[in-house]
Amino acid sequence: MLSLRSEFAEAAYEGLKLFEYRRCRVGIESGALTLIYETLPVGLITGRFTIGRVLYGAPADMTRLEVDAKIADQVAQYLSGARHCSALEILAPLRFQDPLPLDALGANRRAPQSYCFVEATDHELLRRTARSAGAD
């Protein structure tokens, strides 16, 4: 699960944002199904996407991955000063019709500061995300 600000989640759902970035090397693999947690004030799991390529490099290299100039500028500001950055390609983003609260992942679940791994053992959660995505 990745934490995204609402404006970036919206850009991802609309296909305008091609990658999600982190200021460090991440241990996330290509092909991983990723839940999107929109930070407060939304505070909900609003959708998902599949991670395509996982790229590592300097901030300037990462910034060039975005075709939208406004998003590229925001990425450059966010990554400024970082040494080793990660870029996670956003494939098949899907907004849930019914966003999920964090407690759908279990009691006492906290919002990830950047990202966290979620065990895919909760069958009810998987059913709800499939239903929310219109996959029934």
PDB file of all heavy atoms in Angstrom, residues 18 25 27 39 53 65 73 123:
ATOM      1  N   LEU A  18       2.466   9.019 -14.486  1.00  0.00           N
ATOM      2  CA  LEU A  18       2.919   7.730 -14.995  1.00  0.00           C
ATOM      3  C   LEU A  18       3.697   6.908 -13.984  1.00  0.00           C
ATOM      4  O   LEU A  18       3.783   5.691 -14.105  1.00  0.00           O
ATOM      5  CB  LEU A  18       3.776   7.959 -16.241  1.00  0.00           C
ATOM      6  CG  LEU A  18       3.106   8.796 -17.343  1.00  0.00           C
ATOM      7  CD1 LEU A  18       4.064   9.002 -18.500  1.00  0.00           C
ATOM      8  CD2 LEU A  18       1.816   8.157 -17.788  1.00  0.00           C
ATOM      9  N   ARG A  25      15.639   3.858  -2.141  1.00  0.00           N
ATOM     10  CA  ARG A  25      15.412   2.595  -2.850  1.00  0.00           C
ATOM     11  C   ARG A  25      14.322   1.832  -2.114  1.00  0.00           C
ATOM     12  O   ARG A  25      14.342   1.743  -0.893  1.00  0.00           O
ATOM     13  CB  ARG A  25      16.691   1.760  -2.889  1.00  0.00           C
ATOM     14  CG  ARG A  25      17.696   2.259  -3.895  1.00  0.00           C
ATOM     15  CD  ARG A  25      18.894   1.333  -3.990  1.00  0.00           C
ATOM     16  NE  ARG A  25      18.574   0.084  -4.661  1.00  0.00           N
ATOM     17  CZ  ARG A  25      18.742  -0.135  -5.960  1.00  0.00           C
ATOM     18  NH1 ARG A  25      19.200   0.816  -6.731  1.00  0.00           N
ATOM     19  NH2 ARG A  25      18.451  -1.309  -6.491  1.00  0.00           N
ATOM     20  N   GLY A  27      11.854  -1.743  -1.717  1.00  0.00           N
ATOM     21  CA  GLY A  27      11.889  -3.188  -1.911  1.00  0.00           C
ATOM     22  C   GLY A  27      10.588  -3.695  -2.497  1.00  0.00           C
ATOM     23  O   GLY A  27      10.045  -4.692  -2.039  1.00  0.00           O
ATOM     24  N   THR A  39      -3.917  10.260   1.495  1.00  0.00           N
ATOM     25  CA  THR A  39      -3.647  10.872   2.786  1.00  0.00           C
ATOM     26  C   THR A  39      -4.801  11.787   3.207  1.00  0.00           C
ATOM     27  O   THR A  39      -5.686  12.117   2.413  1.00  0.00           O
ATOM     28  CB  THR A  39      -2.334  11.670   2.733  1.00  0.00           C
ATOM     29  OG1 THR A  39      -2.430  12.673   1.716  1.00  0.00           O
ATOM     30  CG2 THR A  39      -1.155  10.753   2.430  1.00  0.00           C
ATOM     31  N   ARG A  53       7.427  -1.161 -14.293  1.00  0.00           N
ATOM     32  CA  ARG A  53       8.878  -1.088 -14.077  1.00  0.00           C
ATOM     33  C   ARG A  53       9.182  -0.448 -12.728  1.00  0.00           C
ATOM     34  O   ARG A  53       8.456   0.432 -12.271  1.00  0.00           O
ATOM     35  CB  ARG A  53       9.537  -0.261 -15.174  1.00  0.00           C
ATOM     36  CG  ARG A  53       9.432  -0.882 -16.554  1.00  0.00           C
ATOM     37  CD  ARG A  53       9.981   0.044 -17.612  1.00  0.00           C
ATOM     38  NE  ARG A  53       9.057   1.180 -17.740  1.00  0.00           N
ATOM     39  CZ  ARG A  53       9.360   2.311 -18.345  1.00  0.00           C
ATOM     40  NH1 ARG A  53      10.559   2.502 -18.861  1.00  0.00           N
ATOM     41  NH2 ARG A  53       8.472   3.291 -18.426  1.00  0.00           N
ATOM     42  N   LEU A  65      10.970  11.203 -16.352  1.00  0.00           N
ATOM     43  CA  LEU A  65      10.025  10.135 -16.667  1.00  0.00           C
ATOM     44  C   LEU A  65       8.607  10.649 -16.907  1.00  0.00           C
ATOM     45  O   LEU A  65       7.814   9.995 -17.572  1.00  0.00           O
ATOM     46  CB  LEU A  65      10.003   9.091 -15.540  1.00  0.00           C
ATOM     47  CG  LEU A  65      11.296   8.319 -15.318  1.00  0.00           C
ATOM     48  CD1 LEU A  65      11.202   7.501 -14.029  1.00  0.00           C
ATOM     49  CD2 LEU A  65      11.596   7.429 -16.510  1.00  0.00           C
ATOM     50  N   ASP A  73       7.573  19.042 -12.502  1.00  0.00           N
ATOM     51  CA  ASP A  73       8.060  20.072 -11.576  1.00  0.00           C
ATOM     52  C   ASP A  73       7.832  19.661 -10.124  1.00  0.00           C
ATOM     53  O   ASP A  73       8.699  19.847  -9.262  1.00  0.00           O
ATOM     54  CB  ASP A  73       7.377  21.413 -11.841  1.00  0.00           C
ATOM     55  CG  ASP A  73       7.858  22.084 -13.118  1.00  0.00           C
ATOM     56  OD1 ASP A  73       8.920  21.686 -13.657  1.00  0.00           O
ATOM     57  OD2 ASP A  73       7.161  23.013 -13.579  1.00  0.00           O
ATOM     58  N   HIS A 123      -9.617 -12.510   2.613  1.00  0.00           N
ATOM     59  CA  HIS A 123     -10.469 -12.772   1.457  1.00  0.00           C
ATOM     60  C   HIS A 123     -11.613 -11.776   1.341  1.00  0.00           C
ATOM     61  O   HIS A 123     -12.015 -11.411   0.248  1.00  0.00           O
ATOM     62  CB  HIS A 123     -11.007 -14.204   1.498  1.00  0.00           C
ATOM     63  CG  HIS A 123      -9.923 -15.215   1.441  1.00  0.00           C
ATOM     64  ND1 HIS A 123      -9.145 -15.412   0.325  1.00  0.00           N
ATOM     65  CD2 HIS A 123      -9.432 -16.060   2.379  1.00  0.00           C
ATOM     66  CE1 HIS A 123      -8.245 -16.339   0.560  1.00  0.00           C
ATOM     67  NE2 HIS A 123      -8.391 -16.755   1.804  1.00  0.00           N
TER      68      HIS A 123
END
